[in-house]
Amino acid sequence: MNFVVNFTNPFVLIFIAGTIITFLINHFLEFIDFRARKINGGKLPIELQDISLAKESFDTNKLKNICQYENAKYFLWIPSSICSLILSLSLILFGFYPFIFDLVCKIAGFPHSILSSFLCFFLFMIFSSIPEEILSIPFSLIKQFKLEKKFGFNTMTIKLWISDFIKDLIISSILAALLSFVASIFFVKCTNSWWFILATVMIAFTFLMQVIYPKFIAPLFNKFTPLEEGSLKEKITNLLKSSGFVSDGLFIMDASKRSNHSNAYFTGFGKSKRIVLYDTLVKSLTEDELVAVLGHELGHFKLKHILKRLIFVIPLEFVLMFVLYKIAQFVQLYSGFGFSSITPENVGQVQFIGLFLAITIYGSISELISPFTSFSSRKHEYQADEYAAKITGNPMDLINALIKLNSENLSELIPPKIYVFWNYSHPTIVERTVALKKMINPGENK
């Protein structure tokens, strides 16, 4: 069978245009960022020059290392993104998925049963991710064992990298199989309402993973040790009490066995919430600075940022799924991408293909709306910083923590505003520092 893609089909044109435009925008932004580093990369921002720790942390050598690290990542990203683009277009435009569909039909008959629908949908999900995973292997190895090692971050062994890759592949495959099977039941049994049921299942699954991941999946990759008794735990406990935050525990994660990068995060949902500190973070920050960082994370909880996001995202999930459902009814969608055996008479039996294609099209243009979500995220980060400064009583603790984290992680200091607007979910260190300094001196910069 000839799986010919119709390049004049509007759905195909949207996919191609969205994919290429997104690719070009990303390359334009990365080049703008690269050029800005050549101009400003060796300079300490004026806003940080009156902070002694900043002058110590960002000396000439450190500023040079930051530029070299960011440039190395950029030069590795260029061929990686080109290969990803070629693969993404090739799988769609050379009829790979219609070929898989035809193969399943020959083995199991036309997908009108739950089993055949599951097999086809599962293979679509797997083959939409595994080729890119395989393609990313050489770039991942270069980044981890050459680039990250060169700049003193990598502590991972090849054995651990392989172990992580296999575990991640197995877990992803199991979850994909589970979701594919559940979705296939609804595709077959509820041809007109699967969009509503599937959206409900996906939302429930997201909440369920918030409980399952920290207790069952994360421990497969890292060791989580309860924070020892002492002044740090006492300070954190007092902070949690003052915020009314009830957690399932405070844990130290052995992040140093993979990388020297530092971080901390809250995970879980409801009573399963827990606070996780990288062991590298505990070593690099003072207790007060660490408390300030956690105060920021608590700010998101206290200011109900997560709840506000859910109130927006959950209805949007249903709307988006309904739109995808409507798109899946168009026979032109299938014929355009080479599914020539699908007709108006049998389209109701293969809506999982329509959903897959609709998601693929959406994915090609979804990044074009990312600046709008990033803007909201940056606003919440400012509010969380303000909360942390107020609850700890000392904005300088958070400022110093941000300076240390930025310095140790070799994060960029002065990215272009357009790059920040498009890509940054957090304000830059300069923007955050200026906002926090205003709390110390309310009249400053007015």
Side-chain angles (χ1 to χ4, degrees), residues 235-254:
K235 290 179 179 180
I236 294 176
T237 301
N238 291 334
L239 178 71
L240 297 178
K241 287 181 180 178
S242 63
S243 300
F245 185 90
V246 179
S247 75
D248 188 37
L250 306 169
F251 297 89
I252 304 293
M253 188 181 86
D254 59 341

Side-chain angles (χ1 to χ4, degrees), residues 169-441:
L169 184 63
I170 292 174
I171 293 171
S172 299
S173 299
I174 291 174
L175 293 177
L178 178 62
L179 290 175
S180 298
F181 181 73
V182 172
S184 297
I185 295 175
F186 301 136
F187 286 134
V188 174
K189 300 293 184 180
C190 311
T191 55
N192 296 321
S193 58
W194 59 259
W195 65 271
F196 181 85
I197 302 172
L198 197 56
T200 304
V201 169
M202 292 301 297
I203 292 169
F205 176 76
T206 301
F207 281 106
L208 184 62
M209 285 301 295
Q210 290 294 311
V211 177
I212 293 176
Y213 179 81
K215 291 193 174 184
F216 301 103
I217 297 180
L220 296 176
F221 296 89
N222 289 96
K223 182 179 179 181
F224 296 83
T225 306
L227 181 62
E228 296 179 353
E229 296 293 335
S231 59
L232 176 58
K233 185 173 183 179
E234 183 179 350
K235 290 179 179 180
I236 294 176
T237 301
N238 291 334
L239 178 71
L240 297 178
K241 287 181 180 178
S242 63
S243 300
F245 185 90
V246 179
S247 75
D248 188 37
L250 306 169
F251 297 89
I252 304 293
M253 188 181 86
D254 59 341
S256 58
K257 73 177 183 179
R258 290 182 175 81
S259 173
N260 284 321
H261 286 295
S262 301
N263 204 352
Y265 64 90
F266 285 21
T267 186
F269 178 75
K271 294 182 179 180
S272 66
K273 297 191 298 291
R274 56 173 57 186
I275 299 170
V276 177
L277 309 174
Y278 283 23
D279 55 356
T280 50
L281 185 72
V282 176
K283 294 176 182 177
S284 62
L285 301 184
T286 67
E287 291 184 355
D288 289 338
E289 291 165 354
L290 192 53
V291 169
V293 170
L294 293 180
H296 169 91
E297 298 301 329
L298 281 172
H300 291 303
F301 161 75
K302 194 68 175 179
L303 299 172
K304 304 187 186 313
H305 289 160
I306 298 174
L307 178 61
K308 291 176 182 177
R309 185 173 181 180
L310 288 175
I311 291 174
F312 173 76
V313 169
I314 289 178
L316 184 63
E317 182 82 21
F318 284 98
V319 172
L320 179 61
M321 192 63 74
F322 179 73
V323 172
L324 296 177
Y325 159 74
K326 283 296 185 180
I327 294 175
Q329 312 306 310
F330 288 93
V331 176
Q332 295 91 334
L333 173 68
Y334 304 86
S335 59
F337 285 96
F339 292 88
S340 56
S341 62
I342 298 175
T343 65
E345 289 73 29
N346 62 29
V347 68
Q349 301 174 8
V350 291
Q351 292 183 71
F352 62 88
I353 297 177
L355 176 62
F356 173 78
L357 293 175
I359 290 175
T360 301
I361 294 171
Y362 173 73
S364 70
I365 62 175
S366 61
E367 194 168 335
L368 300 179
I369 63 174
S370 63
F372 302 102
T373 56
S374 296
F375 174 80
S376 175
S377 176
R378 290 194 298 271
K379 181 180 178 182
H380 286 169
E381 294 302 322
Y382 280 125
Q383 294 172 351
D385 278 354
E386 183 179 358
Y387 178 85
K390 288 180 178 179
I391 198 171
T392 59
N394 188 1
M396 279 307 303
D397 285 334
L398 184 55
I399 291 175
N400 289 336
L402 292 173
I403 289 172
K404 286 184 179 180
L405 290 174
N406 203 104
S407 174
E408 292 175 4
N409 290 319
L410 296 181
S411 300
E412 199 165 9
L413 290 178
I414 320 175
K417 290 184 178 180
I418 187 174
Y419 190 85
V420 173
F421 170 76
W422 196 276
N423 289 323
Y424 273 43
S425 61
H426 287 58
T428 65
I429 184 175
V430 170
E431 293 169 329
R432 296 175 74 175
T433 299
V434 168
L436 288 166
K437 284 166 68 176
K438 287 180 180 179
M439 297 185 66
I440 302 172
N441 302 301

